[in-house]
Amino acid sequence: MSREMSDVTRARHGRPVVLAALFATVAVVDAVAHLVGVGPSGPVLVLSSAVVLGAIAGFRTWWARRHGHAPPSPGDTDTAARPLSSEPAGASTLWRMRTTVKDEPGSLAALCTALAGHRVDILSLQTHPLAEGTVDEFLLRAPGALEASGITRAVSLAGGTGTWIERADAHDLVDAPTRVLGLATRTALDAAELPLALRQLLGRCTIRQSPAGPGPETVPTEGTLEDTVMRLRAPEGGVITVERPYLPFTPTEFARARALVELDAVLGPRVPRSQDVLTLPEGNDITVRRADVGDLDAAKAMHERCSSRTLGMRYHGPLGDADRYLNHLLSPRFGRTLAVQTASGRLVGLGHLLWDGDETEVALLVEDEWQRRGIGGELLRRLVELAVEARCESVYAVTQAANTGMVAAMRGLGLPLDYQIEEGTLVITARLASEGVVEQVSSGTPERRRG
């Protein structure tokens, strides 16, 4: 800090000297003007005085700059005045790191000193108090050549234990209060956001919801926390289970997750009602909108109009069970559903984006009469856009090789695809991690107009 203090001291003491010289100059010029202003040589004297005083001021500025930028003395070695890194812009890596330190004075300072010794910049810090010790969560910017093992080794030598580290991205640059408020806002607007909000709040984790059973509740109102598993009472009954085997949950994280669930319970069922009217290539208008359990009767009626082959391709099981799945599929707790209806209001297509633990499934059903008109491809493009907004890394579809319509729709996305045969069914996975996915899948979309 000595160098910074000396610079400040010079600045504070230099300004009064300059101001004093300025006032003195004004006073001298004023006196000279009064003495000789009426004489024939008055203007010459004033001009000469101005030249002399200008030269003095110039010398004073040169002298101040020369000494103000002098190199530090040998004892002035404070690292706080030096830049963290001399590497070019972009030659750095973002890391998220957690470590446990003793709850005693100086423990965090030792950790920060160790990171600074490797030219690691601490962008944000959160503390999670425990019964014994404190979990410190960091967002770090490290030199690109510094590997995770080097950071964890330095942290261990500084007293950190149970250290966990992984790559971060630009989304992590948002500070924690802002991120939590954003997740709460999204949850308030759409009930389907609750599982996504929990996943983004807690990192990579598996979230499952089981329906309420006939017996007594197995989870108390306040929920339970057991190391890497938390259980929360679902707003409509049942249990929300969140698992993160690679990293134990802290009481602070448990309290945040419980607050989101309580907010969802207070607001009750809600689904955005925006819709788009699309014109198909053949000229017919259809409406695409969000659907929920309120569309249950219309969806069952569509099932009755679908052929056995269409229902078999979609549900891969006994046809009598098709209606039984609809309550689950239309619930915003398990994903998002898009409905397609005609100008007369008849439901002719459904597209589902389903939260399957830490994966995401897409599924389509289009009534026979409306197949091969581009409706399935339009639904799939929109579902992928929703998945990208939710920061899903991939989506998968479970179908059959004979379902050429679904296979063609997945290929029509223009994304990298993986194919796998599982128990006689075809699983097609589309990877969404590349940039520009939304623009890519949106190309070729029918004409839209907001309803």
Side-chain angles (χ1 to χ4, degrees), residues 126-156:
Q126 296 183 64
T127 59
H128 301 249
L130 302 177
E132 296 181 0
T134 301
V135 173
D136 289 330
E137 181 176 357
F138 296 88
L139 178 62
L140 307 173
R141 179 184 286 119
L146 182 61
E147 307 216 350
S149 58
I151 299 176
T152 56
R153 190 181 307 111
V155 169
S156 177

Side-chain angles (χ1 to χ4, degrees), residues 264-315:
D264 186 271
V266 169
L267 295 175
R270 61 214 177 275
V271 172
R273 293 300 176 187
S274 61
Q275 59 185 28
D276 284 339
V277 178
L278 308 181
T279 300
L280 297 176
E282 62 189 33
N284 291 328
D285 285 347
I286 59 171
T287 299
V288 181
R289 59 173 176 81
R290 285 285 298 277
D292 59 11
V293 292
D295 296 288
L296 183 59
D297 291 338
K300 288 182 178 179
M302 185 183 71
H303 276 182
E304 294 176 358
R305 296 191 300 269
C306 289
S307 66
S308 299
R309 181 180 183 276
T310 293
L311 292 178
M313 289 284 188
R314 167 63 185 88
Y315 295 107

Side-chain angles (χ1 to χ4, degrees), residues 141-378:
R141 179 184 286 119
L146 182 61
E147 307 216 350
S149 58
I151 299 176
T152 56
R153 190 181 307 111
V155 169
S156 177
L157 293 174
T161 60
T163 302
W164 166 87
I165 190 170
E166 72 171 2
R167 288 288 186 98
D169 58 29
H171 296 94
D172 295 306
L173 292 173
V174 180
D175 65 284
T178 301
R179 184 171 69 253
V180 172
L181 286 172
L183 295 176
T185 301
R186 291 174 53 181
T187 302
L189 295 175
D190 189 348
E193 289 287 337
L194 179 60
L196 296 175
L198 290 172
R199 186 182 297 176
Q200 293 183 22
L201 176 68
L202 303 171
R204 290 183 293 110
C205 57
T206 300
I207 300 175
R208 292 185 174 87
Q209 181 168 339
S210 56
E217 290 288 349
T218 58
V219 175
T221 304
E222 64 274 12
T224 62
L225 174 60
E226 300 173 2
D227 200 26
T228 60
V229 179
M230 68 170 70
R231 292 182 175 87
L232 304 165
R233 179 84 65 86
E236 66 281 0
V239 178
I240 298 174
T241 302
V242 186
E243 298 184 59
R244 191 176 65 186
Y246 68 96
L247 186 66
F249 294 113
T250 66
T252 300
E253 290 178 310
F254 179 60
R256 291 172 181 172
R258 191 171 58 190
L260 274 179
V261 174
E262 291 174 354
L263 171 65
D264 186 271
V266 169
L267 295 175
R270 61 214 177 275
V271 172
R273 293 300 176 187
S274 61
Q275 59 185 28
D276 284 339
V277 178
L278 308 181
T279 300
L280 297 176
E282 62 189 33
N284 291 328
D285 285 347
I286 59 171
T287 299
V288 181
R289 59 173 176 81
R290 285 285 298 277
D292 59 11
V293 292
D295 296 288
L296 183 59
D297 291 338
K300 288 182 178 179
M302 185 183 71
H303 276 182
E304 294 176 358
R305 296 191 300 269
C306 289
S307 66
S308 299
R309 181 180 183 276
T310 293
L311 292 178
M313 289 284 188
R314 167 63 185 88
Y315 295 107
H316 320 291
L319 299 183
D321 293 340
D323 289 353
R324 188 164 55 88
Y325 299 138
L326 285 175
N327 234 346
H328 173 90
L329 294 172
L330 294 173
S331 171
R333 297 298 177 205
F334 303 102
R336 297 174 180 171
T337 297
L338 298 178
V340 176
Q341 65 183 37
T342 64
S344 63
R346 191 173 76 174
L347 199 67
V348 297
L350 290 173
H352 305 284
L353 188 70
L354 303 171
W355 318 133
D356 180 17
D358 54 356
E359 298 182 324
T360 308
E361 180 183 0
V362 289
L364 303 175
L365 176 65
V366 179
E367 187 178 326
D368 295 64
E369 184 182 342
W370 289 84
Q371 292 176 8
R372 295 179 177 82
R373 301 190 187 188
I375 293 178
E378 173 64 18

Side-chain angles (χ1 to χ4, degrees), residues 54-69:
I56 294 173
F59 175 79
R60 172 68 182 83
T61 301
W62 170 81
W63 182 266
R65 288 182 177 176
R66 177 181 177 183
H67 289 268
H69 291 79

Side-chain angles (χ1 to χ4, degrees), residues 25 47-48 99 160 178 212 234 274 324 339-340 359 367 400 406 413:
T25 300
L47 181 60
S48 301
T99 191
T178 301
S274 61
R324 188 164 55 88
V340 176
E359 298 182 324
E367 187 178 326
Q400 300 174 19
M406 187 64 180
L413 294 173

